[in-house]
Amino acid sequence: MKIIEIKVMRGANYWSGNRKKLIVMKLDIGEWDQRPTNTIKGFGEVLEKLLPFLKSRKCSERIENSFLERVKTGISVGHVIEQIALELQSLAGMECGFGQTLPTNVKGIYNVVFSYSTERSGKYAAKAAVDLVENLLIGLEYNVEAAVQELQRLYNREKLGPSTFAIVKEAESRNIPYTRLNDDSVLMLGQGCNQKIIRASVASTTSSIAVDMACDKDATRNLLSQSYIPVPKGMLIDDITELEEVVKKIGFPLVTKPVNGNHGRGITTQLTTLNEAQKGFYDAQKISENVIVERFIPGNDYRFLVINYKLAAVAKRTPALILGNGISTIEELITKTNSDPNRGEGHQKVLTKIKIDAATQSILAAKELRLDSVLSAGEILFLKDTANLSSGGTAMDITDLVHPQNVFMAERIARLMNLDICGIDIMAENVAIPITEKNGAVIEVNAGPGLRMHLSPTEGMARNVAEPLVNMLFPNNANGRIPVVAVSGTNGKTTVTRLIAHLAQAAGHHAGYTTTDGIYIDGNTIRLGDCSGPGGSATVLRDPLVDFAVLECARGGILRAGLGFDKCNISVVTNVTEDHLGLNDIDTIEQLARVKAVVAQSTFDTGTAILNADDDLVYQMKNTLTCTIALFSMNANNERIKKHCSDGGLAAFVEDNYFVVSKGESKIKIVAVDQVPLTFSGTCEFMIKNVLPALLAASVSNFPVETIRAALNSFIPSPTLTPGRMNIFEFKNFRLMIDYVHNTDGYLQMQKFMEQVDATKKTGIISATGDRRVEDIKNIGRYSAQMFDEIIIRHGDNRGRTTEELSTMLSDGIREIDSSIKISIISNEIESVQYTIDHAQSGEFIFVCVDDIQNTIAYVQQQIEKENAAVNLVPQS
């Protein structure tokens, strides 16, 4: 068996549109392709022994029989691998239920598809499942426990912490999109100009000065003291020689703690001797040079959580402890406590396992106990000085018991600190009565407080504290989204994307858009190159300036990783024609249509899908959609358009040489077709087609009609606005056009335009991409022979074929149509352009199929400048 590739789907995709997180493993199962599992002796029995929980796993959502029953009656090895990958993840604590295994057009090669929880664990599960099956097939043992442990390690390394996870879940319930910006807990909630950044419970709305203040415990104590908030008496020192004098002023018992520590690190409490204080000082200095020495406040440990300057929850915290039974040792009691399934490492679970660290050993030593000591029945032993959950403590919700005066004090502290999210640590006997200097004190104020103790307290009511936090970031039930228009299709999608963005700019938006040419923000080029995949979409949606996104979604990106967004407000599918067939297991035009349909299917139910009514495959997509449908057509009498409008639908079409937008029976004439520069005075049919969906997108977006008319007039086909799309350059005696046409249908559309070009001679520089089918490459030659008097073959991205092979296929296609046409081969793009310029006749029209758009445009512009300079040097008679 051989894994050919593993792809990670992060968004809506071809394999299962509504399941965004999928592993797609292309697997060659070789000789086992002809051997279903019931023909492999003992396979089912060994598999059941190794993974007994497979008994309860169904083979698929449609089949009631258990997976193991199907194994024994006979299924493919590929399907076994898919189900094992899911089961291994399940054993590691990840519920990932969806899977399917699909054959490719190559015998023995399958696409094994299954859901994942985190990317690294998903990819590992794929490889582990293959390894497991390979071992079983040749009679070797496989260590399932080791694989599960590694999956757990990867999962724990990548998964969100409890605070961040709760915020994400709350955001999802509000339809707020989220994007993970790193491997840690930094998230972007929302999109574009409406985004908010959050790291755990520190938000982009939180003042950095306030965070710095909270990190400085001495500065916090002084600020609160000056505002008559009860705080412990204390001093800040950085030298052991100062300690004795401080002890005399404050008196025992004492607490020593680092000035900027967290999670209880370096804190020692209830110090009653100078020797203990000295040790506590040195422990604190391991965290920070400056150490706070303050009076120990007896009582219970409370955490007040304040969000948006309102009290959200209060928890009574208890340090990690064990309860003696008169039989077990301290170490055994700790082990038993840690066996609680609710306890995990770090922030994995609701509670944290208790570690036997230096602090625990110090407590034991002070009580003259050892790990093998046995506590009497009912004896309580606290194992930590602090009640932090991160050190194994527990929490009880007491929010409803807090005295109103204490609520006011907590909210006042948040305002004094200017912290919109904070955790306030208070020591007091009872928070049901007002806190004064006599019965309690504020110990610390924490920026970025953990939410775990409130979300899942050990006792008491769970509080959804993520809700007020998300409400603070997105008030009035806002979802943080910006309008997103997604454009797909075989041809025209780049021009449609650019035109929609141009219309949005004209309507006053800060538009960001992606195309196969690059990424553009508010009219500025951010990056050149093919950015039509999910990475380009993410860049636009991440930009804080953008308030309107137009995203070209090409086939390759959808198949490679899925869409780069969860939902769009408007989708456009321009057309589906034969291109890229035979690649990525897309072998038919119907399969290609399914790829393009992913974009339409990502439209909100409240959104609009704009479909080409002249294209059968595109028009049929409406049957799979739940959103509003808008249609466009070159023909006002298209029966589909007429019925759609009679039913009250929205449509755009050409009627009496006018672009018309119709809502039901109501029609608006936008502008005459031949008055729109992009149509080349109405002579370019495929550019007319590109205007129609853009008009619908503008209409759905409620752009004013006058704005639309003005924007259409100012969208002039040029290297600036439409680079590589019918860019015509006027030399003194001839014209040269650059275009990115790259497939059969594109050449067919170009042929219609060339028929209307008046020229003494028509020369074409053509090219073909090597990964296309032989017939597709020959077709480019055939259509070129019908357009040009002379043809130059150049080469670009050969993609697996030699230049000689490509030249032969193109030449064969040309010769089938006209054996007399002059054919030259000049592989280099720039050299081929220079050749045509050097040999151009008066009145000639030169067509250049380009790959390197920007460089070729720049070169042609240089040649025009040289020609103009030479003309200016000629003496006037």
Side-chain angles (χ1 to χ4, degrees):
M1 260 180 270
K2 180 184 177 183
I3 297 174
I4 299 171
E5 67 174 342
I6 296 177
K7 295 186 289 191
V8 180
M9 300 293 123
R10 303 179 183 92
N13 58 79
Y14 172 76
W15 307 101
S16 178
N18 61 339
R19 294 179 177 87
K20 298 176 176 60
K21 297 172 66 174
L22 294 178
I23 296 294
V24 180
M25 174 171 59
K26 194 169 187 177
L27 180 66
D28 184 350
I29 64 174
E31 62 180 297
W32 301 104
D33 185 39
Q34 299 302 311
R35 299 187 61 184
T37 52
N38 62 330
T39 66
I40 304 171
K41 185 177 180 181
F43 183 81
E45 290 74 13
V46 175
L47 187 59
E48 182 175 353
K49 184 178 179 181
L50 199 60
L51 293 169
F53 289 106
L54 285 174
K55 279 183 180 179
S56 59
R57 183 175 289 279
K58 290 184 179 180
C59 196
S60 77
E61 295 175 348
R62 301 181 304 275
I63 300 173
E64 286 299 319
N65 292 353
S66 79
F67 171 65
L68 278 176
E69 288 174 351
R70 293 293 311 282
V71 168
K72 291 174 183 178
T73 57
I75 57 175
S76 75
V77 170
H79 195 39
V80 173
I81 289 169
E82 160 216 318
Q83 291 293 312
I84 289 175
L86 291 170
E87 182 63 20
L88 290 175
Q89 291 181 92
S90 178
L91 292 172
M94 297 171 275
E95 288 305 317
C96 307
F98 175 78
Q100 61 179 357
T101 297
L102 304 170
T104 68
N105 65 340
V106 179
K107 188 176 177 59
I109 296 180
Y110 292 81
N111 282 308
V112 179
V113 182
F114 59 88
S115 53
Y116 68 88
S117 182
T118 65
E119 290 188 13
R120 289 191 182 95
S121 61
K123 289 192 283 189
Y124 180 85
K127 296 173 184 176
V130 172
D131 288 344
L132 187 153
V133 170
E134 281 192 310
N135 276 267
L136 292 191
L137 290 173
I138 59 177
L140 296 178
E141 294 184 357
Y142 185 83
N143 191 335
V144 172
E145 184 179 351
V148 171
Q149 287 177 351
E150 177 61 11
L151 278 168
Q152 289 173 331
R153 186 189 72 80
L154 292 170
Y155 176 52
N156 291 330
R157 178 180 169 186
E158 284 189 280
K159 74 174 184 177
L160 297 171
S163 297
T164 309
F165 181 75
I167 294 168
V168 164
K169 283 299 178 186
E170 182 62 27
E172 287 181 328
S173 74
R174 287 261 305 270
N175 191 31
I176 299 169
Y178 81 94
T179 304
R180 198 166 180 175
L181 299 181
N182 66 2
D183 290 336
D184 198 5
S185 55
V186 180
L187 300 179
M188 180 181 77
L189 303 180
Q191 299 167 332
C193 66
N194 293 329
Q195 67 180 270
K196 294 290 188 294
I197 306 298
I198 192 159
R199 181 174 184 177
S201 61
V202 176
S204 52
T205 57
T206 305
S207 162
S208 61
I209 294 176
V211 172
D212 288 343
M213 176 72 79
C215 289
D216 187 332
K217 292 179 173 60
D218 189 56
T220 298
R221 186 166 52 83
N222 290 334
L223 172 65
L224 298 183
S225 176
Q226 292 164 13
S227 301
Y228 303 102
I229 304 290
V231 294
K233 184 179 180 181
M235 295 182 68
L236 182 70
I237 63 175
D238 62 5
D239 194 285
I240 192 69
T241 59
E242 303 174 80
L243 182 61
E244 189 171 350
E245 184 65 26
V246 171
V247 169
K248 289 179 181 179
K249 289 183 179 180
I250 299 175
F252 292 112
L254 291 174
V255 175
T256 54
K257 58 187 177 183
V259 73
N260 58 358
N262 55 24
H263 299 299
R265 291 179 297 180
I267 298 177
T268 311
T269 66
Q270 301 188 59
L271 303 170
T272 57
T273 68
L274 184 59
N275 285 340
E276 289 178 352
Q278 288 172 340
K279 184 178 184 304
F281 174 85
Y282 286 125
D283 285 344
Q285 272 206 327
K286 293 175 183 176
I287 307 300
S288 72
E289 183 178 353
N290 293 315
V291 176
I292 293 175
V293 183
E294 65 185 21
R295 181 78 176 182
F296 172 74
I297 306 297
N300 296 306
D301 188 319
Y302 298 95
R303 164 61 65 83
F304 284 58
L305 178 67
V306 180
I307 297 173
N308 201 20
Y309 306 106
K310 294 292 182 182
L311 185 69
V314 179
K316 179 183 176 182
R317 302 187 297 179
T318 303
L321 61 82
I322 51 175
L323 181 66
N325 59 13
I327 300 171
S328 305
T329 66
I330 290 173
E331 187 169 20
E332 289 170 342
L333 290 172
I334 293 173
T335 300
K336 182 180 178 181
T337 301
N338 284 339
S339 67
D340 182 345
N342 289 320
R343 288 189 182 268
E345 298 294 335
H347 295 281
Q348 287 178 8
K349 297 185 178 180
V350 174
L351 296 172
T352 300
K353 289 184 177 181
I354 302 168
K355 290 186 177 180
I356 303 171
D357 56 14
T360 304
Q361 295 285 10
S362 178
I363 290 171
L364 294 177
K367 294 180 177 294
E368 297 183 350
L369 295 170
R370 298 179 314 193
L371 289 173
D372 59 0
S373 299
V374 176
L375 300 179
S376 59
E379 181 181 354
I380 294 175
L381 175 64
F382 290 99
L383 299 167
K384 306 291 178 183
D385 287 319
T386 61
N388 298 73
L389 262 67
S390 57
S391 60
T394 58
M396 178 174 65
D397 178 77
I398 51 104
T399 306
D400 295 333
L401 304 178
V402 179
H403 192 280
Q405 189 169 316
N406 294 335
V407 174
F408 175 79
M409 181 184 72
E411 293 173 352
R412 180 170 178 246
I413 289 169
R415 290 191 295 270
L416 287 167
M417 295 291 295
N418 194 29
L419 275 173
D420 56 3
I421 306 170
C422 64
I424 302 168
D425 293 341
I426 293 176
M427 293 295 294
E429 288 298 331
N430 188 356
V431 293
I433 59 176
I435 296 170
T436 67
E437 291 181 359
K438 294 182 179 180
N439 66 0
V442 176
I443 306 301
E444 288 182 10
V445 179
N446 299 277
L451 308 182
R452 182 168 52 150
M453 69 185 77
H454 309 294
L455 294 164
S456 303
T458 315
E459 298 178 60
M461 181 186 296
R463 306 280 174 173
N464 181 16
V465 292
E467 182 180 8
L469 193 154
V470 173
N471 285 340
M472 179 190 78
L473 297 175
F474 299 96
N476 304 317
N477 209 35
N479 61 24
R481 293 179 180 271
I482 62 172
V484 174
V485 181
V487 182
S488 192
T490 303
N491 290 317
K493 54 187 179 294
T494 295
T495 299
V496 171
T497 298
R498 285 182 172 276
L499 180 52
I500 295 172
H502 182 77
L503 290 162
Q505 290 277 136
H509 285 286
H510 297 287
Y513 66 95
T514 64
T515 69
T516 50
D517 299 332
I519 301 172
Y520 304 85
I521 305 292
D522 210 28
N524 297 287
T525 304
I526 303 303
R527 185 180 187 275
L528 293 174
D530 188 349
C531 298
S532 58
S537 298
T539 300
V540 168
L541 295 175
R542 174 72 178 86
D543 198 287
L545 179 63
V546 175
D547 64 6
F548 195 100
V550 191
L551 310 172
E552 180 179 338
C553 304
R555 167 206 60 87
I558 297 172
L559 292 172
R560 183 176 64 254
L563 297 180
F565 52 89
D566 62 339
K567 290 287 185 180
C568 62
N569 304 86
I570 300 172
S571 62
V572 176
V573 185
T574 59
N575 47 61
V576 179
T577 63
E578 293 188 347
D579 189 25
H580 296 97
L581 297 183
L583 301 175
N584 303 108
D585 304 310
I586 304 301
D587 303 306
T588 68
I589 194 167
E590 289 76 18
Q591 289 175 321
L592 184 60
R594 279 182 52 203
V595 177
K596 308 295 185 182
V598 170
V599 174
Q601 290 160 358
S602 72
T603 314
F604 281 116
D605 287 348
T606 55
T608 302
I610 299 171
L611 305 177
N612 185 348
D614 295 333
D615 187 308
D616 291 344
L617 289 171
V618 176
Y619 178 73
Q620 289 165 12
M621 291 178 189
K622 71 182 183 63
N623 299 325
T624 66
L625 304 178
T626 55
C627 61
T628 299
I629 305 296
L631 299 177
F632 66 94
S633 171
M634 290 287 286
N635 180 9
N637 294 316
N638 180 312
E639 290 300 322
R640 293 167 176 173
I641 292 286
K642 290 167 70 174
K643 183 179 186 308
H644 184 68
C645 290
S646 69
D647 292 339
L650 179 67
F653 45 82
V654 175
E655 186 175 47
D656 298 329
N657 194 41
Y658 266 84
F659 285 113
V660 176
V661 173
S662 175
K663 175 66 174 173
E665 300 300 323
S666 175
K667 296 181 181 180
I668 300 176
K669 284 188 174 182
I670 304 297
V671 66
V673 171
D674 57 9
Q675 295 302 304
V676 176
L678 188 61
T679 70
F680 291 82
S681 301
T683 64
C684 187
E685 182 179 302
F686 62 86
M687 283 300 189
I688 297 172
K689 290 179 182 178
N690 291 338
V691 173
L692 291 167
L695 285 177
L696 286 172
S699 179
V700 171
S701 301
N702 295 315
F703 298 163
V705 173
E706 287 306 315
T707 299
I708 295 172
R709 288 178 180 139
L712 288 175
N713 188 57
S714 63
F715 193 74
I716 299 170
S718 64
T720 302
L721 289 179
T722 58
R725 271 69 185 176
M726 297 191 69
N727 303 146
I728 296 179
F729 299 86
E730 299 283 348
F731 284 79
K732 182 181 178 182
N733 296 318
F734 62 93
R735 289 176 293 165
L736 182 148
M737 184 175 78
I738 286 176
D739 195 89
Y740 183 62
V741 60
H742 60 284
N743 56 43
T744 299
D745 185 66
Y747 272 85
L748 179 60
Q749 298 299 325
M750 188 60 67
Q751 182 186 354
K752 295 178 182 178
F753 172 75
M754 291 297 296
E755 287 171 354
Q756 301 178 68
V757 171
D758 184 22
T760 58
K761 178 185 178 184
K762 298 176 185 178
T763 300
I765 298 175
I766 69 170
S767 180
T769 308
D771 58 5
R772 303 304 198 267
R773 299 175 303 180
V774 172
E775 194 63 17
D776 293 333
I777 296 172
K778 284 186 176 181
N779 274 337
I780 289 175
R782 293 176 184 125
Y783 289 131
S784 297
Q786 298 171 57
M787 282 191 271
F788 306 119
D789 303 305
E790 180 179 349
I791 295 174
I792 297 163
I793 297 173
R794 68 157 187 84
H795 302 103
D797 190 349
N798 292 348
R799 298 187 187 181
R801 284 196 167 100
T802 66
T803 55
E804 290 77 12
E805 287 174 322
L806 289 171
S807 297
T808 298
M809 293 175 194
L810 289 169
S811 297
D812 287 348
I814 295 167
R815 298 300 185 206
E816 284 182 25
I817 302 300
D818 188 342
S819 60
S820 65
I821 291 179
K822 179 183 178 183
I823 301 174
S824 303
I825 298 174
I826 305 175
S827 289
N828 182 271
E829 189 166 310
I830 297 298
E831 290 178 6
S832 65
V833 170
Q834 187 60 56
Y835 174 86
T836 59
I837 292 173
D838 291 341
H839 295 81
Q841 299 177 9
S842 179
E844 185 173 347
F845 189 94
I846 300 168
F847 165 81
V848 182
C849 166
V850 294
D851 282 333
D852 192 351
I853 295 172
Q854 297 298 330
N855 281 338
T856 302
I857 287 174
Y859 185 80
V860 171
Q861 288 172 329
Q862 285 178 354
Q863 302 314 302
I864 291 178
E865 290 171 5
K866 284 183 180 180
E867 183 181 72
N868 291 337
V871 169
N872 292 333
L873 289 174
V874 176
Q876 299 297 316
S877 58

